Amino acid sequence: MKMKKSLVALCLSAGLLAAAPAVSLAAINIVPQDVSAAPSIPASTLQQLHWTPVSPSQTLTSDVSAAGQTLNAGDITGPVMTYSVPANIGELNITLTSKVNNESVYAPNVLVLDQNFTPAAFFPSSFFAYQEPGVMSDNRLEGTMKLTPALGQQKLYLLVFTTQKDLQKTTQMVDPAKAYAKGNGNAVPDIPDPIARHGVAGSLALKASTSSSSSILVGPLFGSSGPASVTVGNTAAPAYNTQPAPAVAPAAAPAPVAKSEPMLNDTESYFNQAIKQAAAKGDIDKALKLLNEAERLGSKSARATFISSVKGKG
């Protein structure tokens, strides 16, 4: 038992580092599912916004000044951008790019909402790291969000905004001449680097694509009898799992109770496959959560699948 706990702890530590974007070491300390730093916005207010649909593999470029909407909440400043992404196509990689124009850039924050407009994850502006210009790209802030929609979700919503605190900051860039010299192996000229101020205007590009390595589970698992919004993932600390027990229960159960009726074959196969994939990636925390949910729904084979997968026999 002690060896198994050590294995889980090791896999969790590795998973945290693997999930962080390579472009920013600072992003390792970001816990996306801790939404306490995000502005509190009533669901009724969010439902009144127009959400621009984004198709898989489509890159949608928007001028914040022209396409943005007004939203008064918390420290949000200037126009906000709103996107909806299909959640029934599997795991997602969502890349958001903010282009530097005339030494000014829109520093984005992203609040991820499930299909019920309940906050599921928050990516602050520090997640979107500066990227040097290349042959086909300009100075920019960029970050890739890895999301796994829970079974039963139809849409995810992305609210992109900047804040007063962001406007007080700047981004140190690399002069294009330096980037060109470095890329061609030439001597880097000794010239000062420009600084981009943060503003309420800018150009955003958002691309959604399917992925097999996403790590943040968004929304409740199919068949959950708990509250409408439940978020779990390999970066979430146990303290965040504070959902109350259903009112009809006389007391909180010490462990999930499996349903008496058998699980449907398709659902059983879904959970077993997801457990195998999570274990194969070393994400034991996600595999454990899938096991618990599967057994709560009546699975008879999930535990054997989990054990054999952890031992490398799945």
Side-chain angles (χ1 to χ4, degrees), residues 33 35 112-121 150 153 217-221 224-232 240-244:
Q33 288 154 306
V35 298
V112 181
L113 308 154
D114 68 11
Q115 65 179 10
N116 299 313
F117 290 99
T118 304
Q153 293 280 301
L217 188 64
V218 178
L221 287 171
S224 172
S225 60
S229 175
V230 178
T231 58
V232 295
Y240 298 143
N241 187 16
T242 58
Q243 297 295 342

Side-chain angles (χ1 to χ4, degrees), residues 159-218:
L159 175 65
V160 183
F161 60 91
T162 196
T163 68
Q164 280 289 352
K165 291 181 180 178
D166 294 320
L167 296 182
Q168 296 171 9
K169 300 177 182 179
T170 58
T171 293
Q172 179 75 57
M173 299 187 293
V174 173
D175 189 277
K178 285 186 175 180
Y180 178 83
K182 187 188 300 183
N184 288 275
N186 300 329
V188 179
D190 185 15
I191 53 179
D193 289 318
I195 295 177
R197 65 188 184 281
H198 293 179
V200 296
S203 177
L204 297 179
L206 186 122
K207 180 178 181 179
S209 58
T210 56
S211 168
S212 60
S213 60
S214 299
S215 61
I216 299 174
L217 188 64
V218 178

Side-chain angles (χ1 to χ4, degrees), residues 4 20 22 39 44 53 56 130 132 154 186 221 223 260 267 276:
K4 183 180 289 185
S44 58
Y130 168 71
E132 295 183 12
Q154 296 301 313
N186 300 329
L221 287 171
S260 57
T267 308
K276 290 178 182 179

Side-chain angles (χ1 to χ4, degrees), residues 4 7 279-280 284 303-314:
K4 183 180 289 185
L7 174 62
I284 306 302
R303 183 165 294 274
T305 300
F306 173 81
I307 293 173
S308 62
S309 298
V310 170
K311 290 182 178 179
K313 299 178 182 179

Side-chain angles (χ1 to χ4, degrees), residues 50-71:
H50 172 71
W51 298 86
T52 302
V54 180
S55 302
S57 299
Q58 171 192 14
T59 299
L60 184 63
T61 302
S62 305
D63 184 329
V64 177
S65 298
Q69 301 178 71
T70 301
L71 177 62

Side-chain angles (χ1 to χ4, degrees), residues 5 258 288:
K5 290 182 178 179
L288 281 170

